[in-house]
Amino acid sequence: QVQLQESGPGLVKPSQTLSLTCTVSGGSISSGSYYWSWIRQPAGKGLEWIGRIYTSGNTNYNPSLKSRVTISVDTSKNQFSLKLSSVTAADTAVYYCASVNYDILAFDYWGQGTLVPVSS
Amino acid sequence: DIQLTQSPSFLSASVGDRVTITCRASQGISSYLAWYQQKPGKAPKLLIYAASTLQSGVPSRFSGSGSGTEFTLTISSLQPEDFATYYCQQLNSYPPTFGGGAKVEIK
């Protein structure tokens, strides 16, 4: 059973860079059947896809965030990471990492989520 | 981006009720639609993928149907643990998008 766990600073100041890491356990991040995504959810609101990375390193980002997002992967540590630059209060949200199974084209495993407030 | 519109956004129902939630896509997405259940403070949980295929371990009272632009999630007999918010999501077209959610509360 694949498990994902987000980690990172609990608070980020406006204009700084939000950095989170997702550690994958119970399976290899290099599995050919998966790619890896970040999704966020502001309090009381819906879900927004941020971007994805393949273990090849290829990435796709949501056009609404593309200029500020970088997703990377470290296969040796079974981790992938998110960086979101120039944050504002509007970026305050619960951030989830999730896997997409190519075979079913759905987010089948999710981390528990981590709340990242943006505040001075 | 493909917009997904869920209706109703809120519904009040009783244990044992049959509940149906609709998801309409702004353009055709074939059958590349998934449904998720989210409880407060928890991550979404995959219920159905490919519009109608039940994820392993999900009770059979959940079912999905539809293709193209109109999809439905049905709970045949609502149980106490089913009170939650439900989201549809498409992966047919980049970027992936989610519906606004449908909150199912106890009447």
Side-chain angles (χ1 to χ4, degrees):
Chain A
Q1 174 91 355
V2 173
Q3 292 185 314
L4 292 83
Q5 177 70 58
E6 304 90 352
S7 60
L11 178 68
V12 181
K13 295 185 187 312
S15 80
Q16 293 189 341
T17 296
L18 178 160
S19 296
L20 294 172
T21 295
C22 182
T23 300
V24 179
S25 59
S28 171
I29 200 170
S30 299
S31 166
S33 300
Y34 283 92
Y35 62 81
W36 309 92
S37 280
W38 289 96
I39 294 159
R40 69 181 183 178
Q41 185 174 35
K45 296 189 178 180
L47 298 155
E48 180 181 34
W49 180 79
I50 299 171
R52 64 186 175 197
I53 189 164
Y54 299 79
T55 51
S56 63
N58 289 341
T59 54
N60 298 103
Y61 302 130
N62 193 319
S64 67
L65 298 168
K66 187 175 183 177
S67 63
R68 300 194 290 131
V69 174
T70 303
I71 297 176
S72 59
V73 65
D74 186 338
T75 55
S76 67
K77 295 182 178 179
N78 236 30
Q79 295 176 335
F80 64 105
S81 298
L82 168 70
K83 291 188 186 299
L84 180 65
S85 64
S86 304
V87 297
T88 69
D91 295 309
T92 294
V94 174
Y95 286 76
Y96 295 101
C97 57
S99 63
V100 176
N101 185 323
Y102 289 163
D103 295 332
I104 67 173
L105 283 182
F107 297 99
D108 56 351
Y109 294 108
W110 296 66
Q112 65 185 24
T114 186
L115 174 63
V116 182
V118 176
S119 175
S120 54
Chain B
D1 298 7
I2 292 178
Q3 307 301 317
L4 297 177
T5 304
Q6 291 184 235
S7 60
S9 56
F10 173 88
L11 71 92
S12 183
S14 300
V15 172
D17 283 354
R18 181 181 181 89
V19 168
T20 298
I21 298 166
T22 297
C23 178
R24 289 188 174 86
S26 59
Q27 55 187 277
I29 57 172
S30 185
S31 296
Y32 295 110
L33 187 100
W35 289 96
Y36 301 83
Q37 176 192 67
Q38 186 178 35
K39 296 182 178 179
K42 300 293 187 183
K45 171 189 173 184
L46 177 63
L47 298 176
I48 288 169
Y49 61 90
S52 61
T53 304
L54 209 61
Q55 172 71 336
S56 175
V58 174
S60 59
R61 62 181 179 273
F62 291 92
S63 64
S65 65
S67 67
T69 61
E70 187 149 339
F71 302 84
T72 58
L73 171 70
T74 299
I75 309 171
S76 60
S77 178
L78 200 64
Q79 298 302 299
E81 61 267 31
D82 300 336
F83 291 95
T85 300
Y86 294 85
Y87 292 94
C88 58
Q89 175 255 321
Q90 66 84 22
L91 256 166
N92 177 74
S93 175
Y94 165 82
T97 49
F98 292 87
K103 187 172 185 179
V104 178
E105 289 203 341
I106 301 173
K107 183 182 283 185

